[in-house]
Amino acid sequence: MEEGRAPDLKVSDKEQRLLLFVEQAPVAIAMFDHDMRYLSASRRWRTDYGLGERALHGLSHYEIFPEIGDAWKAIHRRGLAGEEVAAEEEAFTRADGSIQWLRWQVQPWREASGAIGGIMVFSEDISKRKQAEQDKRESEEEFRVLSEAMPQLVWASDIHGRADYFNSRWFEYTGQSFEEAKNLGWLSALHPEDVVRTQDCWTEAVTKGAVYEVQYRIKGRDGTYRWFLSRGVPRRGASAKIERWIGTCTDISAQKDLEEGLKSAREAAEDASRAKSEFLVTMSHEIRTPMTIFMGAIQHLMEIDQSPEHRQLLEMADSAALRLLTLVDDILDFSRIEARKINIEAVAFDLRACVDEVVRIFALAAQEKNLVLETEVAAEVAERVIGDPKRLGQILVNLVGNAVKFTHAGEIRVGVRSAGEILEFSVTDTGIGIPPEKHSRLFERFSQVDSSLTRRYGGSGLGLAISKGLVELMGGHISVQSAAGKGSRFLFTLPLRLPA
Ligand code: ADP
């Protein structure tokens, strides 16, 4: 730089110090003489204006930058005339038409004689900052437009949870003004019963920085309350620190009404079903009592009246009464299961003896039909288990009874195995079978595969429904494997419990 200094420019010591200061300055600063020729420029000035390392001393600013506009020239002239001029921010149009934002200052410097020697120009390119401000304004405007476009009530708050923005839907719906709603004022639009819960939830979300989600009722202008789902999420800054909260309130009243309606409909249905089951329990019981008297009387008459004609009539009455009693018993059992009015016992009993007893009941009937009826209890099955032998017997009677009823040739096997914590029972026959499409409805009450079969085989259609109810009450599961004409296998499991 020294060698570029024009010999005719004499500088005093004081000026020399000033030049040095300018060169070292950490900002963009340049010193010019009266003809706008460079005396000195800081490093920053050189980089900002693309001047590199070239010698500047004595070179005219306007010759280096012929594109310098009249606006700048006028400012320079004012400085050279002794004025101090500055601007915090000012837009200059560059030669290529782009806008440059500058913070600048122009100050005259004086020679030892007191005469103006030239000007010092300081300038800082603040275009980036201006651009960032512009971007921020645009994104805020976009948020505002978006929140106005939303059908929900939209709100925003500062990091402490003090609301400072609502979209106009909020004001339209609640009738609140911004002054009324700001900070925690929005809470006063909520249903009194929901305020504490909501405030707690909001405080917790704000302290923890977790997603805020709560349902509450907001009072509308018309005085009625509607349910809203309010959700808020924190907006984090570059350092992941929470800067604001933004949220919405969605009207869920219709959905709530539907839920309420469904719930009360379900409750009503359950109540009705319970009442019906209780009625059936009572009725069956009431029918049973006179029935037993009735049957006792028939038995008695059979003993004393020996005329074959009367005997035949009494036998018909007896078997009809027995069928009726069985039906009443089934209805009673089924209703008890539905009304959950059944006690399952937990006693230690001999499992093999229980199975044998059931098989014994059907031995004669099987024999009459020429059917093989066998039990296979696997060796690993414990002698004694804990459970309800009466209910287990009842399930087996239903399944073996059906097997005998619906099998005309072949065999019926009753099997028991144990695997881990589970006992598995099976009743397999070589009977008429059940088509697969009927399997799903088989365990429903009053379900019979074919009504023509009912007339042939009798039955109430309650046996399997009762069996399923009992198996499930005991913690097990029942299923069927069968195909028409291929026989059937009914399987059920029970949890295995051993006596201590
Ligand atoms: P039901 O008193 O009519 O036997 P269940 O509930 O015990 O009532 O059985 C319902 C229907 O399932 C029966 O009517 C019959 O059609 C069919 N079913 C049950 N077990 C068998 C079986 N082992 N073989 C063929 N069909 C069966």
Side-chain angles (χ1 to χ4, degrees):
M1 195 148 134
E2 285 301 312
E3 78 266 31
R5 181 170 290 178
D8 59 318
L9 290 166
K10 292 194 294 298
V11 280
S12 69
D13 275 0
K14 198 178 139 217
E15 283 158 21
Q16 188 66 49
R17 281 203 297 280
L18 198 57
L19 291 179
L20 213 62
F21 167 77
V22 167
E23 265 172 46
Q24 306 298 328
V27 292
I29 186 166
M31 191 170 171
F32 298 96
D33 72 2
H34 214 276
D35 298 316
M36 284 306 285
R37 281 181 297 187
Y38 275 94
L39 293 175
S40 174
S42 72
R43 192 133 296 283
R44 187 62 194 267
W45 180 282
R46 285 170 172 273
T47 38
D48 277 8
Y49 294 95
L51 293 163
E53 294 297 322
R54 69 191 274 196
L56 289 172
H57 195 92
L59 295 183
S60 156
H61 187 49
Y62 299 152
E63 271 165 29
I64 301 178
F65 299 107
E67 70 271 24
I68 283 182
D70 290 337
W72 268 119
K73 285 182 180 160
I75 293 167
H76 294 155
R77 270 199 301 280
R78 282 165 68 191
L80 290 168
E83 208 181 324
E84 277 183 23
V85 222
E88 269 311 301
E89 47 182 60
E90 193 170 338
F92 292 91
T93 314
R94 291 197 192 93
D96 63 1
S98 63
I99 301 284
Q100 181 185 32
W101 281 89
L102 292 177
R103 179 157 85 91
W104 59 267
Q105 195 176 343
V106 168
Q107 209 171 349
W109 63 270
R110 289 172 194 279
E111 293 169 352
S113 62
I116 291 171
I119 52 170
M120 307 263 281
V121 178
F122 155 82
S123 93
E124 184 188 4
D125 191 329
I126 55 164
S127 303
K128 276 210 184 94
R129 196 188 80 206
K130 291 298 285 183
Q131 188 58 48
E133 281 171 13
Q134 171 85 3
D135 290 351
K136 185 162 176 271
R137 259 196 311 279
E138 274 171 16
S139 90
E140 278 169 3
E141 180 61 8
E142 257 174 35
F143 166 76
R144 207 190 53 74
V145 172
L146 177 68
S147 78
E148 285 302 328
M150 303 234 306
Q152 284 114 320
L153 315 183
V154 180
W155 50 265
S157 91
D158 67 8
I159 48 166
H160 307 294
R162 292 180 297 231
D164 54 12
Y165 170 83
F166 296 90
N167 68 347
S168 37
R169 259 292 160 277
W170 176 278
F171 305 119
E172 276 159 26
Y173 176 74
T174 62
Q176 279 189 324
S177 66
F178 176 72
E179 284 307 310
E180 285 165 334
K182 70 173 190 193
N183 296 333
L184 288 177
W186 54 274
L187 280 167
S188 64
L190 268 51
H191 193 287
E193 284 170 17
D194 301 338
V195 173
V196 176
R197 183 171 53 86
T198 303
Q199 196 169 5
D200 287 352
C201 198
W202 179 226
T203 313
E204 191 184 320
V206 170
T207 11
K208 287 191 180 158
V211 169
Y212 161 75
E213 187 169 320
V214 64
Q215 295 186 4
Y216 50 66
R217 284 158 287 181
I218 309 179
K219 192 183 194 168
R221 258 176 207 285
D222 59 359
T224 60
Y225 286 96
R226 292 184 71 81
W227 276 101
F228 285 84
L229 166 70
S230 186
R231 264 180 66 84
V233 286
R235 183 174 71 67
R236 296 174 189 275
S239 62
K241 229 183 93 205
I242 292 178
E243 290 183 344
R244 286 182 67 67
W245 284 83
I246 293 169
T248 54
C249 300
T250 310
D251 190 332
I252 52 162
S253 282
Q255 191 184 326
K256 274 265 177 193
D257 288 350
L258 205 68
E259 275 169 26
E260 281 298 314
L262 281 180
K263 198 171 145 225
S264 52
R266 195 178 50 235
E267 278 169 6
E270 279 168 5
D271 283 352
S273 163
R274 212 172 3 256
K276 183 208 65 193
S277 301
E278 276 164 19
F279 169 75
L280 279 176
V281 171
T282 323
M283 280 313 288
S284 316
H285 211 78
E286 291 302 311
I287 296 171
R288 217 179 181 283
T289 318
M291 276 294 294
T292 48
I293 299 170
F294 190 32
M295 286 172 79
I298 293 172
Q299 287 293 329
H300 189 67
L301 282 176
M302 282 208 280
E303 275 160 28
I304 55 174
D305 194 320
Q306 296 299 331
S307 119
E309 216 174 301
H310 285 181
R311 217 192 141 75
Q312 208 186 347
L313 283 172
L314 285 171
E315 267 168 10
M316 271 168 64
D318 187 48
S319 95
L322 193 67
R323 264 168 52 200
L324 191 55
L325 191 68
T326 317
L327 177 61
V328 168
D329 280 345
D330 278 354
I331 294 177
L332 190 59
D333 269 341
F334 182 76
S335 307
R336 279 201 185 117
I337 292 171
E338 276 216 318
R340 300 260 177 273
K341 281 201 170 161
I342 198 159
N343 282 332
I344 302 292
E345 283 202 64
V347 294
F349 68 97
D350 185 330
L351 190 63
R352 285 176 178 77
C354 177
V355 175
D356 284 347
E357 207 174 305
V358 174
V359 169
R360 218 174 5 250
I361 297 173
F362 294 100
L364 194 66
Q367 211 181 348
E368 276 173 2
K369 293 178 84 175
N370 261 327
L371 301 172
V372 177
L373 173 56
E374 272 179 4
T375 17
E376 289 165 37
V377 180
E380 80 269 6
V381 175
E383 292 268 316
R384 290 176 73 73
V385 295
I386 294 207
D388 190 330
K390 216 178 108 218
R391 298 299 175 190
L392 173 60
Q394 194 180 350
I395 300 164
L396 287 170
V397 163
N398 280 336
L399 298 184
V400 178
N402 279 347
V404 172
K405 188 154 75 169
F406 296 106
T407 306
H408 304 299
E411 53 186 38
I412 294 153
R413 297 190 177 277
V414 182
V416 188
R417 298 191 311 165
S418 92
E421 309 265 279
I422 283 172
L423 276 175
E424 188 192 75
F425 298 82
S426 61
V427 177
T428 314
D429 64 48
T430 53
I432 62 169
I434 305 155
E437 67 273 15
K438 307 280 182 179
H439 291 187
S440 59
R441 295 208 53 218
L442 210 54
F443 297 100
E444 285 173 23
R445 63 191 164 167
F446 308 122
S447 142
Q448 286 172 330
V449 169
D450 182 341
S451 53
S452 68
L453 289 180
T454 318
R455 287 188 289 278
R456 229 171 103 198
Y457 298 101
S460 66
L462 276 172
L464 289 178
I466 292 172
S467 302
K468 179 176 152 73
L470 290 175
V471 167
E472 286 173 0
L473 278 175
M474 294 195 279
H477 179 75
I478 191 165
S479 60
V480 63
Q481 299 164 351
S482 183
K486 296 270 161 64
S488 310
R489 166 177 284 164
F490 283 84
L491 290 159
F492 67 94
T493 58
L494 290 181
L496 171 66
R497 284 162 66 201
L498 298 171

